[in-house]
Amino acid sequence: MSATPRRPLAAHPRAIHLRYAVYGLVFGFGLSRIGFGDFAEVHAMFVFDDLRLFLAFAGGVALTMVGFVALARMSAMPRRHLHPGSVLGGVLFGAGWAITGACPSIVLVQLGGGHVSALATLAGVLAGVAAYAPVHRRWLPWQLDSCSV
Amino acid sequence: MADGSRCSHIEGCELYPRFSLRGALRIWQDRYCNHPTHHQKCERFVRSNAGQPVPATLLPNGEHIAT
Amino acid sequence: MPDWLLHDYWPWWFSAAFFATMVVGVWLAERRLLGVSGSYAAAIERTREEDEAARRLDEADPAAIDDALMRATLAAFGPEAVAELEREQAAAAAAAPAGPPIGLTGPRQAMPRSAHVTFLVMLAVGGLLGALGSSGWEVRTDLGPLHEALTGGGAISLLALVGGGFLVGFGTRMAGGCTSGHGLSGCSRLQPASLVATASFFGTAVAVSFALEAVAR
């Protein structure tokens, strides 16, 4: 091997930072332009006043499915395993989403959009994530889904 | 759980995709990840369930990829 | 460029195409499914030992990682077992030359904590750029009159945000994913856990939203 091996840009150390910076920027921009960062829009979806956001989400799921099916057999992709936390965690998250208008990505979009109060939500999210692992180890009997975070 | 045939942690595993790179590396998948019972002996699986750190370099047999 | 792309909220069909492009695109480029709560978990839960291992792998030459992995494999199983597996695979490939489906089980690069944090920070920057469009960017101390009316206003609204935020963080960790990880990446693959989690958080959010309206009236 030569002293200075040439590598493709994609494999360069820290290139992953650049790539994820782009994903974050594009995803954050899109979420904002879709209106997911707007509490009134999110609430309108949840009380069925305006189904635009719901259709955007459901349509996104459907089109993603088309994309994954077109790429290869779905069976080649790993599975997610059902456990009690899938339901209970969903209930807790759903309640939090209705109250704050935020999911983990949206709170950052709200913050970037100038909503200083989203700092309060973000503090709650960070505390909630930090609190989960110790609580799970101590009290919850089922296995966590993944080896690496 | 419902699917006991292979490791339930494959989805988030940093190493599993690396084991697909070369034919010879699939031996890890055969002997651990996709094995109906032996995946429970995987050091990554064991440590994860015990709430211990699981470094990306940790191999199923407890050794580390020496970089 | 059409005017609505920058100045109105996007129509649902364009938004749907955007979501699908993001999820499939990130998968193709990274062999990782898009999931924002996972980045929070990596940023917060990861130990120093874990992050150092990820950084070492990220910064090492891929060929060197390959060599080290091969050495460890030979040490673990012995050259005979490895050679036998290779012979079996060669025989199987000769019998069915089509080979495994490509594209969905490739390698992925180790992701250091700093890359997860970069992703999260840039989500906020993206939100800033998006807000510069229609409404214009301005500093606001609340989430708007509707949120104030539904959650009590002022300090009570702020407390609701902290408590609600805690539920979001705790709940997404417990469910193992959020709107992106379970909702988009999981439901699109008909994963039972994702379908259940998504039905659960959408259903609860609908119920709580109606409850907030009922209480506020």
Side-chain angles (χ1 to χ4, degrees):
Chain A
M1 192 183 294
S2 65
T4 52
R6 291 183 58 129
R7 294 172 168 190
L9 179 66
H12 192 278
R14 284 177 290 282
I16 196 165
H17 294 78
L18 187 63
R19 297 199 305 276
Y20 269 85
V22 172
Y23 307 147
L25 190 74
V26 174
F27 199 47
F29 178 81
L31 285 169
S32 171
R33 298 310 309 135
I34 290 166
F36 261 107
D38 184 336
F39 179 85
E41 291 282 317
V42 173
H43 185 76
M45 160 175 71
F46 287 146
V47 296
F48 309 124
D49 272 349
D50 182 358
L51 291 182
R52 187 181 60 87
L53 287 186
F54 182 77
L55 287 173
F57 176 79
V61 170
L63 285 177
T64 305
M65 193 184 302
V66 170
F68 280 152
V69 169
L71 279 174
R73 295 184 319 215
M74 201 88 84
S75 61
M77 303 182 83
R79 308 194 171 118
R80 304 294 307 260
H81 289 261
L82 191 62
H83 53 73
S86 310
V87 180
L88 187 54
V91 167
L92 297 177
F93 167 38
W97 194 6
I99 294 168
T100 63
C103 65
S105 45
I106 295 304
V107 61
L108 297 166
V109 171
Q110 290 175 339
L111 195 58
H115 292 286
V116 181
S117 53
L119 279 173
T121 317
L122 183 61
V125 172
L126 296 176
V129 172
Y132 183 68
V135 168
H136 182 101
R137 273 200 288 281
R138 191 160 167 145
W139 286 295
L140 303 177
W142 62 85
Q143 284 179 358
L144 280 171
D145 205 22
S146 164
C147 273
S148 39
V149 289
Chain B
M1 268 171 277
D3 183 288
S5 61
R6 60 183 201 164
C7 180
S8 60
H9 291 196
I10 286 174
E11 166 100 354
C13 185
E14 291 291 326
L15 273 186
Y16 186 85
R18 282 192 197 276
F19 294 151
S20 304
L21 287 182
R22 281 208 246 165
L25 297 179
R26 299 221 175 140
I27 195 165
W28 293 102
Q29 296 178 347
D30 290 353
R31 301 281 177 95
Y32 287 97
C33 322
N34 294 332
H35 194 282
T37 53
H38 289 180
H39 69 258
Q40 290 166 6
K41 292 186 196 160
C42 170
E43 186 66 17
R44 298 178 68 83
F45 186 82
V46 170
R47 282 208 202 177
S48 171
N49 288 332
Q52 292 165 347
V54 186
T57 50
L58 179 69
L59 290 162
N61 64 350
E63 299 291 319
H64 281 265
I65 304 174
T67 50
Chain C
M1 189 180 289
D3 200 45
W4 53 261
L5 200 61
L6 284 175
H7 296 289
D8 293 321
Y9 285 146
W10 290 344
W12 70 269
W13 53 269
F14 187 82
S15 311
F18 170 82
F19 281 139
T21 308
M22 280 301 302
V23 177
V24 176
V26 169
W27 172 268
L28 280 178
E30 306 292 339
R31 298 296 182 267
R32 283 175 199 277
L33 290 162
L34 189 68
V36 178
S37 64
S39 288
Y40 276 90
I44 291 176
E45 289 177 7
R46 211 183 248 184
T47 64
R48 184 173 301 171
E49 184 191 0
E50 288 171 318
D51 198 50
E52 272 168 12
R55 263 188 300 143
R56 271 206 310 280
L57 281 186
D58 180 40
E59 287 167 13
D61 187 338
I65 301 175
D66 259 15
D67 290 346
L69 190 50
M70 202 59 218
R71 278 198 307 276
T73 306
L74 290 170
F77 303 105
E80 291 84 15
V82 173
E84 190 188 332
L85 180 74
E86 282 182 316
R87 273 198 303 279
E88 275 171 25
Q89 285 173 347
I102 50 160
L104 291 173
T105 50
R108 60 181 157 196
Q109 199 174 345
M111 197 164 162
R113 186 204 316 262
S114 48
H116 285 288
V117 174
T118 304
F119 176 61
L120 294 177
V121 170
M122 292 308 278
L123 273 171
V125 177
L128 188 153
L129 291 183
L132 287 174
S134 61
S135 54
W137 191 86
E138 55 176 346
V139 173
R140 283 159 290 190
T141 54
D142 57 41
L143 288 182
L146 179 64
H147 185 261
E148 292 285 293
L150 287 177
T151 57
I156 304 173
S157 282
L158 220 52
L159 276 179
L161 288 181
V162 177
F166 187 90
L167 292 177
V168 170
F170 196 86
T172 50
R173 278 310 287 145
M174 181 185 274
C178 56
T179 331
S180 49
H182 269 317
L184 289 170
S185 303
C187 286
S188 62
R189 297 182 299 126
L190 301 176
Q191 295 297 299
S194 297
L195 295 170
V196 167
T198 305
S200 164
F201 65 68
F202 255 107
T204 309
V206 166
V208 171
S209 293
F210 276 110
L212 284 176
E213 288 211 341
V215 171
R217 281 219 180 89

